[in-house]
Amino acid sequence: MTITMYGIKNCDTIKKARDWLADQGKAYDFHDYKASGVDAATLGRWADVVGWDVLLNKAGTTFKKLPDADKAGIDRDKAIALMVAQPSMIKRPVLDADGKLIVGFKPDIYARELASS
């Protein structure tokens, strides 16, 4: 199984997910979307699978600091544009395990979804 973790290297949740993967002996590639970016096409594919509302981190400080006009009337296209412009608004991590997407980090979900690798 090929695993790619998308996130921001200094994020505490990313650190927990990376530690969990290491403890389980799971090899993965890491894509820092704050340093390397993430394109609208990738976000669009993810949104088609998990929903844009799952990907957009409305609880984070980056989203909360947006002007009210930017927060109003968010739909799929607006959410993707916001996440491309400010990748810190993407919920972390996004794990792509052979096309299976897992958003966020919960050890029990990782254990269940990655059991076959």
Side-chain angles (χ1 to χ4, degrees), residues 8-73:
I8 298 170
K9 70 177 177 179
N10 293 328
C11 169
D12 288 340
T13 305
I14 292 290
K15 290 175 185 174
K16 290 175 189 172
R18 292 178 89 157
D19 288 346
W20 187 92
L21 289 169
D23 290 347
Q24 303 302 312
K26 306 279 186 195
Y28 64 93
D29 294 317
F30 183 72
H31 177 96
D32 187 330
Y33 47 58
K34 191 162 188 176
S36 301
V38 62
D39 59 39
T42 298
L43 289 168
R45 283 192 305 276
W46 292 351
D48 290 344
V49 174
V50 301
W52 66 263
D53 52 330
V54 172
L55 288 174
L56 183 63
N57 182 8
K58 292 181 181 177
T61 56
T62 305
F63 183 83
K64 289 179 179 179
K65 289 180 181 179
L66 286 175
D68 288 341
D70 289 345
K71 293 181 202 175

